[in-house]
Each structure stands twice: as C-alpha cells, then as structure tokens.
Amino acid sequence: MTMAKIETLCVQGGYSPKNGEPRQIPIIQSTTFKYDTSEDMGKLFDLEASGYFYTRLQNPTNDTVAARICALEGGSAAMLTSSGQAANFYAVFNIANCGDHVVACSAIYGGTYNLFAVTMKKMGIDFTFVSPDCTDEELDAAFRPNTKALFGETIANPALSVLDIEQFAKAAHRHGVPLIVDNTFATPVNCRPIEWGADIVTHSTTKYMDGHGSAVGGCIVDSGHFDWDRYADKYPGLTTPDESYHGVIYTKQFGLGGAFITKATSQLMRDFGSIQSPQNAFILGLGLESLHVRMRRHCENAQKVAEFLSGHEKIAWVSYCGLPGDKYHERAKKYLPEGSCGVVSFGVKGGRKAAEAFMKKLRVAAIETHVADARTCCLHPASATHRQMNDEELLAAGVSPDLVRLSVGLESADDLIEDIAQALS
C-alpha cells in the first residue's frame, strides 16, 4: 500500500516497524554508536556506508522523524536541526558563501531578516530584499551573476502576506538558482510548496508541527528536483570534490535527490552542530501525528476571530487571507484552498499605545514570543520580534507599529471572541 493521503502520512509516515519492533518511534538517547572494527567506522567517515557514529551529525530518532516530514512535503531527503533559525541558516549557507548574493522576500520573520541582513552579511553574503507583491520585472532586476538562491515564506510572519510561489519559482529557475520556501505557518497540511515549484522547504518545527510549545526544532526538506550539475560552476560545493571528505563529489555519489541534505549534514552539522536532541525529535513526532486534525481547528477558530475583528468598531484593520476582502484572498484560494493558519494580524485604533493597552487586558490569550501552538497567545512585534528594525524596515516587512499578532489556539472560539471583546471594551 502506498501512503499518499496527508492524514495517513502524519500518523505513520517515515516509520514502518517490523515484526516485534516498537510501535512508537524509539528514542535513541545516545551520543555515540559502537562498531566492531575501525574499518567499519572508517567507511562512515568516508561517506562510503550509511550508519551512525556521533549524534552531533545524525541520530536514528531524528532521521525517522525527518523522513516523516520529508514524506509530508513530498521531498527526496530531509534533516532536522536544533531550530527553525538553524534550518534557514543551513539551507542558505549550504550553497552561498562569502562573496555570494541571495534574493529574499522582505516580508519574512524578523529573526530571519536579522539573520540575513546582519549576521550573514558579516560572513560576506549580501542580500537583496524584494516585496512579496513585486512584478516579474522587479524580481528579475534583483538578481546578480553571483546570486545563489531565492528565499520566501509561504505565509509571512507576522505580515501574513501569501507568497506567489509559482512566480518566485519561475524567477529563480530563469536565473539558475533554487527557490527556498519557509513553510512554517502553512505546514504541508495546507500547502506543499514543492508542488508549486519550490526546490527546498524549511520549517520551524517549534510551531504547528510540535503544536504544544514543548520542543524547539527545525527541518530542511530537499525536493531533489534542482539540477546542481547543470549549474556546476555556480555550486562547486556540491559538484566538485570535497577535500574534507576525501574528495567526494556529492552530486555524483548521492544524486540530485540526496546531494544537498548529505552535504548539509556531513559539512554544516559536523562543523556547527545545531542538532535537534533525540528527545525533542520524539516529541515532534508525537505532534506530527495530530497535525492534520489541529490545523483544521486552528484555521476554523482563526476565521471566526478574524470575522469578529473585522466588524469591530475599535479595530483599524485585519489581515487574514481567509477574509473575502483580504489583499491575499485570491492568492490563498490558489495555494491554500483548505485554510492557511491560525495567526491573525490586526491593528487597534489608537496605534501602538492602544495595542499595548488591549493586550494587557486579555485573560485567555497570553502575551508570549511564541506562536502557533494549542494555546492562544499574542504579541506586539514592533516591540518584540521585530524591535531591531527601524520604521522603514518594519513597513517593508509588512509590520506596522500598531500590528498585533494573535495566534489563535484550540480553545473555544466563543471564549476567545468574548475575551477579545472584553479587552477592547
């Protein structure tokens, strides 16, 4: 039987126990693995054999959970990381080095923007940011001869703009680079970017995939579609010998379906060590089992909350693509026909001070830096996740000073609306 439905993959993807084996994914809480001979271990270090020798690189529990996410996204290979930030860093740094350039959508999570615009810039990688609503001409103009990737978020955090994945994928491929899409908010339950032309997908698994605010983590999924060999001069790290692994050429030894993730694991995880703990991977695996059920409820609750807010006299504006009048409603019908996410952004009349006063009066929703788990929480991004940006950068990222990000949980929608109503009053 081929497991093709997303619901079945959430519950059983990536792990098929044999006779007498554990029904649940085992937690291999071990840093090291024993071998009979040095020759056996040497084959692992030469990438000539598959297996495990140190959890800083790989762990069986992590790989099993990564395989489930890979199946959910329809990819060829995947790896877990310690956080979503690590996943985005690895995904870009695996193919872009000092002196290279990357084009990124400006409407992205503030931490990712800071990673790109500040930290990776110090490493010699230059970024150009484009609007999620840019024309083909504006998008093409952002590319340079040394551009190595195009990056965007399916649903931007917290602007909630919806990426035109096909437009960005076609532009990336016109310029011979892969499209990397952060699919954290939509999850593969509501959107599979690879089906729309994305080449690499990343996640902060800390959010909906875990679903309970219990385990920090990230994931990278490779589609296996991008032809690195066709642009061999542009991606020498994948297409020429790696002397740190005895001259292995990743595309030759692991094919297009395995080259990207193998390089990221054997090089970047080896040197940076941003591994997800096996215990966190196990918790993530539990979260994935109910992802398809929870996402439906998150979207239903968020839709009701968004509709209530849009009709309230004290609300200046509401951003939620499920609303018919929303700027991204038509685009969402294409990419997110089953629903988008549980996050609603809105502005309270009276600006920043009114937004902060409103949040202090909430009783059910808590003020947290977190987002996208079972409990409703809210945040004023301009004062928190995006406070490192100036006003111009905030507006470019779709974050106005009055913006409140409400992550709608799994509680009763009636109770949430009542809480919002009393706080506004």
Side-chain angles (χ1 to χ4, degrees), residues 318-352:
V318 180
S319 178
Y320 189 70
C321 63
L323 295 174
D326 187 83
K327 179 179 181 180
Y328 296 99
H329 184 67
E330 291 303 315
R331 190 177 293 175
K333 286 166 65 175
K334 173 180 177 178
Y335 294 113
L336 304 156
E338 302 300 321
S340 57
C341 66
V343 181
V344 180
S345 291
F346 59 94
V348 181
K349 289 181 179 177
R352 182 189 291 257

mmCIF file of all heavy atoms in Angstrom, residues 318-352:
data_model
loop_
_atom_site.group_PDB
_atom_site.id
_atom_site.type_symbol
_atom_site.label_atom_id
_atom_site.label_comp_id
_atom_site.label_asym_id
_atom_site.label_seq_id
_atom_site.Cartn_x
_atom_site.Cartn_y
_atom_site.Cartn_z
ATOM 1 N N VAL A 318 -7.689 44.408 9.619
ATOM 2 C CA VAL A 318 -7.445 42.995 9.904
ATOM 3 C C VAL A 318 -6.773 42.365 8.700
ATOM 4 O O VAL A 318 -7.175 42.601 7.557
ATOM 5 C CB VAL A 318 -8.752 42.230 10.212
ATOM 6 C CG1 VAL A 318 -8.458 40.755 10.504
ATOM 7 C CG2 VAL A 318 -9.495 42.859 11.379
ATOM 8 N N SER A 319 -5.740 41.563 8.957
ATOM 9 C CA SER A 319 -5.068 40.820 7.888
ATOM 10 C C SER A 319 -5.237 39.327 8.147
ATOM 11 O O SER A 319 -4.701 38.786 9.117
ATOM 12 C CB SER A 319 -3.577 41.188 7.842
ATOM 13 O OG SER A 319 -2.916 40.441 6.832
ATOM 14 N N TYR A 320 -6.023 38.687 7.315
ATOM 15 C CA TYR A 320 -6.200 37.234 7.358
ATOM 16 C C TYR A 320 -6.729 36.818 5.996
ATOM 17 O O TYR A 320 -7.799 37.247 5.572
ATOM 18 C CB TYR A 320 -7.174 36.818 8.461
ATOM 19 C CG TYR A 320 -7.207 35.314 8.672
ATOM 20 C CD1 TYR A 320 -6.126 34.651 9.237
ATOM 21 C CD2 TYR A 320 -8.309 34.557 8.281
ATOM 22 C CE1 TYR A 320 -6.142 33.273 9.420
ATOM 23 C CE2 TYR A 320 -8.335 33.192 8.452
ATOM 24 C CZ TYR A 320 -7.246 32.550 9.024
ATOM 25 O OH TYR A 320 -7.245 31.188 9.191
ATOM 26 N N CYS A 321 -5.980 35.986 5.303
ATOM 27 C CA CYS A 321 -6.307 35.698 3.902
ATOM 28 C C CYS A 321 -7.599 34.923 3.733
ATOM 29 O O CYS A 321 -8.101 34.783 2.619
ATOM 30 C CB CYS A 321 -5.148 34.977 3.220
ATOM 31 S SG CYS A 321 -4.767 33.349 3.915
ATOM 32 N N GLY A 322 -8.169 34.430 4.831
ATOM 33 C CA GLY A 322 -9.455 33.762 4.742
ATOM 34 C C GLY A 322 -10.620 34.720 4.604
ATOM 35 O O GLY A 322 -11.728 34.307 4.264
ATOM 36 N N LEU A 323 -10.386 36.022 4.851
ATOM 37 C CA LEU A 323 -11.436 37.026 4.703
ATOM 38 C C LEU A 323 -11.592 37.389 3.225
ATOM 39 O O LEU A 323 -10.602 37.683 2.552
ATOM 40 C CB LEU A 323 -11.093 38.273 5.511
ATOM 41 C CG LEU A 323 -11.040 38.098 7.034
ATOM 42 C CD1 LEU A 323 -10.545 39.387 7.690
ATOM 43 C CD2 LEU A 323 -12.406 37.692 7.587
ATOM 44 N N PRO A 324 -12.803 37.413 2.693
ATOM 45 C CA PRO A 324 -13.014 37.709 1.264
ATOM 46 C C PRO A 324 -12.397 39.019 0.803
ATOM 47 O O PRO A 324 -11.958 39.133 -0.340
ATOM 48 C CB PRO A 324 -14.546 37.733 1.144
ATOM 49 C CG PRO A 324 -15.011 36.818 2.230
ATOM 50 C CD PRO A 324 -14.056 37.032 3.368
ATOM 51 N N GLY A 325 -12.340 40.031 1.658
ATOM 52 C CA GLY A 325 -11.786 41.311 1.245
ATOM 53 C C GLY A 325 -10.300 41.450 1.452
ATOM 54 O O GLY A 325 -9.712 42.500 1.153
ATOM 55 N N ASP A 326 -9.658 40.399 1.924
ATOM 56 C CA ASP A 326 -8.222 40.478 2.213
ATOM 57 C C ASP A 326 -7.408 40.587 0.928
ATOM 58 O O ASP A 326 -7.768 40.017 -0.114
ATOM 59 C CB ASP A 326 -7.775 39.241 2.997
ATOM 60 C CG ASP A 326 -6.337 39.335 3.476
ATOM 61 O OD1 ASP A 326 -6.093 39.948 4.521
ATOM 62 O OD2 ASP A 326 -5.451 38.796 2.774
ATOM 63 N N LYS A 327 -6.305 41.308 1.008
ATOM 64 C CA LYS A 327 -5.438 41.531 -0.143
ATOM 65 C C LYS A 327 -4.966 40.229 -0.771
ATOM 66 O O LYS A 327 -4.744 40.145 -1.991
ATOM 67 C CB LYS A 327 -4.238 42.375 0.298
ATOM 68 C CG LYS A 327 -3.224 42.685 -0.774
ATOM 69 C CD LYS A 327 -2.105 43.543 -0.218
ATOM 70 C CE LYS A 327 -1.073 43.884 -1.283
ATOM 71 N NZ LYS A 327 0.018 44.728 -0.734
ATOM 72 N N TYR A 328 -4.787 39.191 0.048
ATOM 73 C CA TYR A 328 -4.223 37.925 -0.450
ATOM 74 C C TYR A 328 -5.272 36.813 -0.550
ATOM 75 O O TYR A 328 -4.915 35.640 -0.682
ATOM 76 C CB TYR A 328 -3.067 37.485 0.452
ATOM 77 C CG TYR A 328 -1.916 38.454 0.430
ATOM 78 C CD1 TYR A 328 -1.756 39.393 1.440
ATOM 79 C CD2 TYR A 328 -1.019 38.470 -0.630
ATOM 80 C CE1 TYR A 328 -0.703 40.317 1.407
ATOM 81 C CE2 TYR A 328 0.019 39.379 -0.674
ATOM 82 C CZ TYR A 328 0.173 40.298 0.342
ATOM 83 O OH TYR A 328 1.204 41.200 0.301
ATOM 84 N N HIS A 329 -6.544 37.186 -0.505
ATOM 85 C CA HIS A 329 -7.604 36.177 -0.511
ATOM 86 C C HIS A 329 -7.583 35.335 -1.790
ATOM 87 O O HIS A 329 -7.657 34.098 -1.725
ATOM 88 C CB HIS A 329 -8.966 36.849 -0.354
ATOM 89 C CG HIS A 329 -10.103 35.875 -0.260
ATOM 90 N ND1 HIS A 329 -10.258 35.021 0.817
ATOM 91 C CD2 HIS A 329 -11.135 35.606 -1.109
ATOM 92 C CE1 HIS A 329 -11.325 34.286 0.632
ATOM 93 N NE2 HIS A 329 -11.884 34.605 -0.532
ATOM 94 N N GLU A 330 -7.462 35.977 -2.934
ATOM 95 C CA GLU A 330 -7.476 35.233 -4.195
ATOM 96 C C GLU A 330 -6.244 34.348 -4.334
ATOM 97 O O GLU A 330 -6.332 33.219 -4.820
ATOM 98 C CB GLU A 330 -7.582 36.204 -5.376
ATOM 99 C CG GLU A 330 -8.925 36.901 -5.479
ATOM 100 C CD GLU A 330 -10.091 35.924 -5.578
ATOM 101 O OE1 GLU A 330 -9.980 34.964 -6.361
ATOM 102 O OE2 GLU A 330 -11.086 36.122 -4.864
ATOM 103 N N ARG A 331 -5.103 34.859 -3.917
ATOM 104 C CA ARG A 331 -3.877 34.053 -3.977
ATOM 105 C C ARG A 331 -3.973 32.858 -3.029
ATOM 106 O O ARG A 331 -3.506 31.755 -3.339
ATOM 107 C CB ARG A 331 -2.660 34.912 -3.631
ATOM 108 C CG ARG A 331 -1.324 34.240 -3.906
ATOM 109 C CD ARG A 331 -0.155 35.163 -3.607
ATOM 110 N NE ARG A 331 -0.117 36.301 -4.531
ATOM 111 C CZ ARG A 331 0.755 37.298 -4.423
ATOM 112 N NH1 ARG A 331 1.638 37.308 -3.424
ATOM 113 N NH2 ARG A 331 0.737 38.282 -5.299
ATOM 114 N N ALA A 332 -4.587 33.080 -1.880
ATOM 115 C CA ALA A 332 -4.749 31.992 -0.914
ATOM 116 C C ALA A 332 -5.677 30.910 -1.453
ATOM 117 O O ALA A 332 -5.490 29.718 -1.158
ATOM 118 C CB ALA A 332 -5.289 32.544 0.406
ATOM 119 N N LYS A 333 -6.664 31.283 -2.243
ATOM 120 C CA LYS A 333 -7.562 30.286 -2.836
ATOM 121 C C LYS A 333 -6.793 29.342 -3.745
ATOM 122 O O LYS A 333 -7.156 28.171 -3.904
ATOM 123 C CB LYS A 333 -8.677 30.989 -3.605
ATOM 124 C CG LYS A 333 -9.727 31.618 -2.697
ATOM 125 C CD LYS A 333 -10.616 32.591 -3.440
ATOM 126 C CE LYS A 333 -11.459 31.952 -4.497
ATOM 127 N NZ LYS A 333 -12.404 32.932 -5.116
ATOM 128 N N LYS A 334 -5.710 29.831 -4.325
ATOM 129 C CA LYS A 334 -4.874 29.003 -5.198
ATOM 130 C C LYS A 334 -3.937 28.109 -4.390
ATOM 131 O O LYS A 334 -3.888 26.892 -4.623
ATOM 132 C CB LYS A 334 -4.056 29.902 -6.128
ATOM 133 C CG LYS A 334 -3.030 29.160 -6.977
ATOM 134 C CD LYS A 334 -2.251 30.124 -7.875
ATOM 135 C CE LYS A 334 -1.183 29.396 -8.678
ATOM 136 N NZ LYS A 334 -0.438 30.309 -9.583
ATOM 137 N N TYR A 335 -3.202 28.703 -3.458
ATOM 138 C CA TYR A 335 -2.164 27.957 -2.748
ATOM 139 C C TYR A 335 -2.645 27.325 -1.444
ATOM 140 O O TYR A 335 -2.032 26.373 -0.966
ATOM 141 C CB TYR A 335 -0.981 28.876 -2.439
ATOM 142 C CG TYR A 335 -0.240 29.356 -3.664
ATOM 143 C CD1 TYR A 335 -0.262 30.687 -4.040
ATOM 144 C CD2 TYR A 335 0.484 28.467 -4.459
ATOM 145 C CE1 TYR A 335 0.426 31.138 -5.166
ATOM 146 C CE2 TYR A 335 1.168 28.898 -5.585
ATOM 147 C CZ TYR A 335 1.134 30.240 -5.934
ATOM 148 O OH TYR A 335 1.814 30.674 -7.056
ATOM 149 N N LEU A 336 -3.706 27.862 -0.850
ATOM 150 C CA LEU A 336 -4.167 27.429 0.468
ATOM 151 C C LEU A 336 -5.671 27.175 0.463
ATOM 152 O O LEU A 336 -6.410 27.755 1.269
ATOM 153 C CB LEU A 336 -3.815 28.498 1.509
ATOM 154 C CG LEU A 336 -2.338 28.892 1.601
ATOM 155 C CD1 LEU A 336 -2.186 30.286 2.183
ATOM 156 C CD2 LEU A 336 -1.572 27.873 2.438
ATOM 157 N N PRO A 337 -6.153 26.319 -0.407
ATOM 158 C CA PRO A 337 -7.607 26.132 -0.541
ATOM 159 C C PRO A 337 -8.269 25.515 0.678
ATOM 160 O O PRO A 337 -9.467 25.701 0.897
ATOM 161 C CB PRO A 337 -7.726 25.212 -1.768
ATOM 162 C CG PRO A 337 -6.429 24.470 -1.812
ATOM 163 C CD PRO A 337 -5.400 25.459 -1.347
ATOM 164 N N GLU A 338 -7.508 24.793 1.508
ATOM 165 C CA GLU A 338 -8.075 24.135 2.684
ATOM 166 C C GLU A 338 -7.933 24.982 3.948
ATOM 167 O O GLU A 338 -8.337 24.558 5.033
ATOM 168 C CB GLU A 338 -7.400 22.773 2.897
ATOM 169 C CG GLU A 338 -7.513 21.821 1.726
ATOM 170 C CD GLU A 338 -8.963 21.493 1.389
ATOM 171 O OE1 GLU A 338 -9.772 21.338 2.335
ATOM 172 O OE2 GLU A 338 -9.286 21.409 0.190
ATOM 173 N N GLY A 339 -7.340 26.173 3.834
ATOM 174 C CA GLY A 339 -7.099 27.013 5.000
ATOM 175 C C GLY A 339 -5.643 27.426 5.052
ATOM 176 O O GLY A 339 -4.791 26.800 4.422
ATOM 177 N N SER A 340 -5.357 28.475 5.799
ATOM 178 C CA SER A 340 -3.994 28.995 5.830
ATOM 179 C C SER A 340 -3.286 28.642 7.137
ATOM 180 O O SER A 340 -2.447 27.761 7.192
ATOM 181 C CB SER A 340 -4.005 30.514 5.625
ATOM 182 O OG SER A 340 -4.814 31.155 6.607
ATOM 183 N N CYS A 341 -3.647 29.333 8.220
ATOM 184 C CA CYS A 341 -3.017 29.082 9.512
ATOM 185 C C CYS A 341 -3.904 29.682 10.590
ATOM 186 O O CYS A 341 -4.980 30.208 10.307
ATOM 187 C CB CYS A 341 -1.609 29.681 9.563
ATOM 188 S SG CYS A 341 -1.581 31.492 9.476
ATOM 189 N N GLY A 342 -3.456 29.624 11.831
ATOM 190 C CA GLY A 342 -4.248 30.146 12.934
ATOM 191 C C GLY A 342 -3.820 31.516 13.396
ATOM 192 O O GLY A 342 -4.255 31.970 14.466
ATOM 193 N N VAL A 343 -3.006 32.204 12.627
ATOM 194 C CA VAL A 343 -2.487 33.512 13.034
ATOM 195 C C VAL A 343 -3.271 34.624 12.339
ATOM 196 O O VAL A 343 -3.448 34.593 11.119
ATOM 197 C CB VAL A 343 -0.983 33.642 12.726
ATOM 198 C CG1 VAL A 343 -0.452 34.998 13.178
ATOM 199 C CG2 VAL A 343 -0.214 32.519 13.414
ATOM 200 N N VAL A 344 -3.727 35.591 13.135
ATOM 201 C CA VAL A 344 -4.448 36.752 12.621
ATOM 202 C C VAL A 344 -3.679 38.002 13.040
ATOM 203 O O VAL A 344 -3.307 38.137 14.209
ATOM 204 C CB VAL A 344 -5.885 36.826 13.188
ATOM 205 C CG1 VAL A 344 -6.620 38.048 12.638
ATOM 206 C CG2 VAL A 344 -6.650 35.545 12.876
ATOM 207 N N SER A 345 -3.420 38.903 12.119
ATOM 208 C CA SER A 345 -2.782 40.181 12.440
ATOM 209 C C SER A 345 -3.802 41.296 12.289
ATOM 210 O O SER A 345 -4.628 41.268 11.372
ATOM 211 C CB SER A 345 -1.586 40.433 11.517
ATOM 212 O OG SER A 345 -0.533 39.532 11.798
ATOM 213 N N PHE A 346 -3.749 42.271 13.193
ATOM 214 C CA PHE A 346 -4.707 43.380 13.132
ATOM 215 C C PHE A 346 -4.137 44.597 13.847
ATOM 216 O O PHE A 346 -3.156 44.510 14.593
ATOM 217 C CB PHE A 346 -6.051 42.979 13.745
ATOM 218 C CG PHE A 346 -5.978 42.542 15.185
ATOM 219 C CD1 PHE A 346 -6.193 43.438 16.219
ATOM 220 C CD2 PHE A 346 -5.708 41.222 15.501
ATOM 221 C CE1 PHE A 346 -6.141 43.039 17.552
ATOM 222 C CE2 PHE A 346 -5.648 40.797 16.826
ATOM 223 C CZ PHE A 346 -5.856 41.708 17.847
ATOM 224 N N GLY A 347 -4.766 45.732 13.597
ATOM 225 C CA GLY A 347 -4.372 46.975 14.244
ATOM 226 C C GLY A 347 -5.507 47.510 15.093
ATOM 227 O O GLY A 347 -6.660 47.495 14.675
ATOM 228 N N VAL A 348 -5.182 47.979 16.299
ATOM 229 C CA VAL A 348 -6.172 48.584 17.183
ATOM 230 C C VAL A 348 -6.166 50.090 16.947
ATOM 231 O O VAL A 348 -5.099 50.707 16.874
ATOM 232 C CB VAL A 348 -5.859 48.274 18.659
ATOM 233 C CG1 VAL A 348 -6.916 48.892 19.575
ATOM 234 C CG2 VAL A 348 -5.778 46.769 18.881
ATOM 235 N N LYS A 349 -7.349 50.668 16.809
ATOM 236 C CA LYS A 349 -7.418 52.113 16.632
ATOM 237 C C LYS A 349 -6.770 52.810 17.833
ATOM 238 O O LYS A 349 -7.053 52.461 18.976
ATOM 239 C CB LYS A 349 -8.868 52.567 16.471
ATOM 240 C CG LYS A 349 -9.493 52.160 15.147
ATOM 241 C CD LYS A 349 -10.929 52.660 15.024
ATOM 242 C CE LYS A 349 -11.532 52.256 13.680
ATOM 243 N NZ LYS A 349 -12.961 52.682 13.564
ATOM 244 N N GLY A 350 -5.923 53.767 17.552
ATOM 245 C CA GLY A 350 -5.177 54.430 18.615
ATOM 246 C C GLY A 350 -3.700 54.106 18.558
ATOM 247 O O GLY A 350 -2.920 54.671 19.326
ATOM 248 N N GLY A 351 -3.320 53.202 17.663
ATOM 249 C CA GLY A 351 -1.906 52.949 17.426
ATOM 250 C C GLY A 351 -1.216 52.080 18.465
ATOM 251 O O GLY A 351 -1.850 51.256 19.135
ATOM 252 N N ARG A 352 0.092 52.289 18.590
ATOM 253 C CA ARG A 352 0.939 51.437 19.435
ATOM 254 C C ARG A 352 0.445 51.373 20.878
ATOM 255 O O ARG A 352 0.343 50.296 21.465
ATOM 256 C CB ARG A 352 2.374 51.965 19.385
ATOM 257 C CG ARG A 352 3.365 51.132 20.191
ATOM 258 C CD ARG A 352 4.709 51.848 20.272
ATOM 259 N NE ARG A 352 5.371 51.876 18.977
ATOM 260 C CZ ARG A 352 6.383 51.075 18.649
ATOM 261 N NH1 ARG A 352 6.814 50.184 19.513
ATOM 262 N NH2 ARG A 352 6.944 51.175 17.464
#
